[in-house]
Amino acid sequence: MILEEISSKNMEIVENTQKLKAELIEAGKKLAAKNLLPATSGNLSARFENLILVTVSGKDKAQLTEEDFMLVNYRAEAVEDISKKPSAETLLHSLVYENYPKANYIYHVHSSASVILSKKIGANKEILLENYELLKALSGINTHSTTEIVPIFRNSQNIASLAQDVKQFLSVKSDIHAFVLEGHGFYTWGATHKECLRHVEALDTLFSCEIEMMKLN
């Protein structure tokens, strides 16, 4: 009886993670097609109970398979198949899930617009997106007459230190939809797979608009 219960639970885990993997594979293809995940850059994840399903390191996101994911805990430690290596930035995913209970998906992309804009503005500053109709594509925003703050953090190979910087910012201002790593790319999250994709597309377009506005000034 106990063995049957364990087997049933394992089957349930497999079925649930398969659904999440299918969504992340779809996201990888769509975002790569828009040149938002060039080469093997970026990472994608989904919340799974008290764990995180995340892409393994060094994979082309346009060609993901079910084998290109792994389950980790919130300390970014593997809870299955220790031969796999999670993305180096998994701690940042953990931080977002811990701070945003409604976030179930996180997509980190290397969009050219976010890279250029963050290098132009600089780290430890903010991108201010104001009075754009497209801001209404972000969850919870229902008017263009608003200002969306997107913080820029210095890109660092010390992910633990970087995570602390992000955590400190969120402790003061948590009503944001994304953050940028200078010269690197941006993170955004959503309650659903489709919402997260919408946030990526909207933010990338808004960053491009900001660059074009700078050219006019």
Side-chain angles (χ1 to χ4, degrees):
M1 184 68 177
I2 294 176
L3 289 177
E4 289 179 358
E5 290 178 359
I6 293 174
S7 178
S8 176
K9 180 63 176 177
N10 287 341
M11 284 296 296
E12 183 181 348
I13 290 174
V14 169
E15 290 175 0
N16 289 340
T17 56
Q18 281 181 333
K19 175 181 178 293
L20 294 176
K21 287 177 181 179
E23 291 176 327
L24 296 179
I25 288 171
E26 179 188 5
K29 289 178 180 178
K30 286 187 174 182
L31 297 174
K34 295 177 182 292
N35 201 33
L36 294 172
L37 294 168
T40 60
S41 67
N43 36 72
L44 313 170
S45 77
R47 190 194 297 270
F48 179 70
E49 298 179 354
N50 62 337
L51 300 172
I52 301 170
L53 182 71
V54 65
T55 46
V56 299
S57 181
K59 295 294 182 178
D60 182 348
K61 306 307 180 296
Q63 301 182 48
L64 291 172
T65 69
E66 288 193 359
E67 299 303 312
D68 297 328
F69 300 90
M70 64 185 298
L71 285 170
V72 300
N73 59 28
Y74 277 39
R75 296 185 298 277
E77 299 168 337
V79 297
E80 61 168 8
D81 195 350
I82 59 174
S83 67
K84 292 182 179 181
K85 181 183 177 183
S87 165
E89 297 150 4
T90 303
L91 275 177
L92 296 178
H93 289 250
S94 301
L95 182 63
V96 171
Y97 287 127
E98 288 173 339
N99 279 271
Y100 296 93
K102 292 183 179 179
N104 292 311
Y105 297 82
I106 301 170
Y107 297 159
H108 167 45
V109 299
H110 287 214
S111 96
S112 296
S114 66
V115 169
I116 294 168
L117 191 59
S118 63
K119 286 181 71 68
K120 175 66 176 178
I121 295 174
N124 304 318
K125 297 181 181 178
E126 299 168 346
I127 300 170
L128 301 180
L129 302 172
E130 300 179 297
N131 300 321
Y132 286 107
E133 182 69 17
L134 194 54
L135 285 169
K136 291 192 287 187
L138 303 179
S139 62
I141 295 180
N142 54 22
T143 175
H144 71 279
S145 183
T146 189
T147 300
E148 176 72 15
I149 294 175
V150 183
I152 304 172
F153 298 98
R154 190 172 305 282
N155 190 26
S156 172
Q157 298 304 304
N158 187 336
I159 302 301
S161 176
L162 176 57
Q164 283 301 311
D165 291 342
V166 177
K167 183 177 181 179
Q168 184 175 359
F169 181 93
L170 294 180
S171 69
V172 177
K173 184 169 182 59
S174 62
D175 57 337
I176 61 173
H177 293 83
F179 60 84
V180 179
L181 303 185
E182 182 189 16
H184 183 148
F186 72 91
Y187 284 77
T188 189
W189 46 90
T192 66
H193 159 59
K194 290 184 178 180
E195 180 176 274
C196 202
L197 281 175
R198 189 178 76 238
H199 286 178
V200 172
E201 186 171 354
L203 287 162
D204 184 55
T205 300
L206 291 168
F207 294 153
S208 295
C209 288
E210 285 294 297
I211 292 172
E212 293 303 313
M213 290 294 292
M214 287 179 173
K215 293 177 182 178
L216 296 175
N217 294 332

